[in-house]
Amino acid sequence: MESLQKWFTALVGVNAAEQERLARAHAIFNAPQPDLSHFEIPACWRRNGAH
């Protein structure tokens, strides 16, 4: 019975770690995206003409 309890504890521990990784991934990939519309114009057109 004790070995069954150790196995169950290990299984639950892996599940908790997986849940933490999933929460971190959601926080990273669901973050608001930066405004990249400025880069739609070619860089040579954005540069100032005076060198």
Side-chain angles (χ1 to χ4, degrees), residues 21-45:
R21 277 195 296 273
L22 185 60
R24 257 193 321 249
H26 279 284
I28 292 169
F29 292 109
N30 290 335
Q33 298 295 318
D35 180 22
L36 300 177
S37 62
H38 180 71
F39 295 109
E40 292 179 3
I41 299 171
C44 61
W45 294 357

Side-chain angles (χ1 to χ4, degrees), residues 2 8 11 21-22:
E2 190 174 315
F8 181 74
L11 183 63
R21 277 195 296 273
L22 185 60

Side-chain angles (χ1 to χ4, degrees), residues 1 5 9 11 16-17 19-20 22 31 39 41 45-46 49 51:
M1 194 63 155
Q5 181 63 40
T9 303
L11 183 63
Q19 290 295 329
E20 288 178 27
L22 185 60
F39 295 109
I41 299 171
W45 294 357
R46 287 182 280 157
H51 285 54

